[in-house]
Amino acid sequence: MTRHPYDPHWRFVLPARARSEPKLLVIGILMVEVMYLASLYLMEPFLQLVPLASPAEVAGGTSPRGLLIQLFSFVALGLAVVLISRRLHGRGLASLIGQPGLALQQMLQVTLLLSIATLAIEFIPPDIELLSLAQMRPLGPWLALLPLALAALLIQTGAEELFYRGYIQQQLAARFDQPWVWLVLPSLLFASAHYAPELPPVQAAHYMIWAFVFGLAAADLTARSGTLGPAIGFHLVNNALAFLLFGEAGGMDSGLALFLFPSDPSQSLAPLPTMPHPLPSEDSDAIGLFDPGFLIELLGIGMLWAGARIAIRR
């Protein structure tokens, strides 16, 4: 008998079948969004009472402390998902993640393999030659902050995976047997959350398409593995490269980057195909919707996805 690649997913969604009414899922998504948005609105009053960093630093992620606070604030999203899932569906954290031991093992496997592969690509010619255009932060302080930064990124990526690939994907799969439903719909929601109206239209469209494809890859990894572990590892490596290695000097979410490229578009180069925070450029209107550079970005997602599948042998 041929084994279906998504067999682990059917076991993964079993805890969601008891209360899988679509109206409950819609209510749950709205309640999670409201709770998370409320936490964001409370951030500025909190920072006025506890002046750890200025609100601008946190919103822009332009300093180490500002970006760390921003990333750690995603704990509010994770707590909202767990609370709403328990109240509306009678499900706890373990049911959203899958078998905890297996999830941890798979996350470590994916994180290790993708980290080695992507670092090898970034630090060999010709890519390493591009670093001559960047300013490097002092290595000692950056290394000292690295464990805390990785913990913050794990919270950020884990919370997003818990919401989109855990809660939403599971609840849809418990109700609908067609894979396209629980692959596509959570990915569309993930893409809409990455809408950036401040960007030029083509660049904003690139960002959303990138997020949609990224969401499809994470959803597929979850279905193949039966846990959130591979998707979290996949997401963690992508964001670690974008947040911790490369950034634009003074740019959004650059506070923890080791290498800072100049903000002058005529001098800067895109630091990484999978960078999750595109920045506006003066010549963005001249960029086509499917220009070669953007297709290379999508190829980068495919390479990470293939590497994650190799790591978990699925």
Side-chain angles (χ1 to χ4, degrees), residues 84-157:
I84 296 304
S85 177
R86 185 177 294 278
R87 296 290 294 178
L88 291 184
H89 308 279
R91 302 173 52 206
L93 176 61
S95 73
L96 293 167
I97 296 174
Q99 298 177 43
L102 179 60
L104 178 60
Q105 175 187 340
Q106 292 174 331
M107 184 192 77
L108 293 175
Q109 288 172 332
V110 170
T111 301
L112 181 61
L113 189 147
L114 293 187
S115 296
I116 293 172
T118 51
L119 286 174
I121 292 171
E122 291 301 315
F123 291 98
I124 60 175
D127 285 357
I128 195 171
E129 296 168 1
L130 303 180
L131 297 182
S132 63
L133 300 173
Q135 176 187 1
M136 182 177 174
R137 279 197 168 106
L139 187 59
W142 183 83
L143 287 173
L145 278 176
L146 186 58
L148 190 61
L150 288 173
L153 279 174
L154 182 59
I155 286 175
Q156 182 238 346
T157 55

Side-chain angles (χ1 to χ4, degrees), residues 246-265:
F246 307 105
E248 181 184 47
M252 181 174 289
D253 297 334
S254 62
L256 293 168
L258 179 60
F259 298 100
L260 294 171
F261 288 85
S263 56
D264 183 352

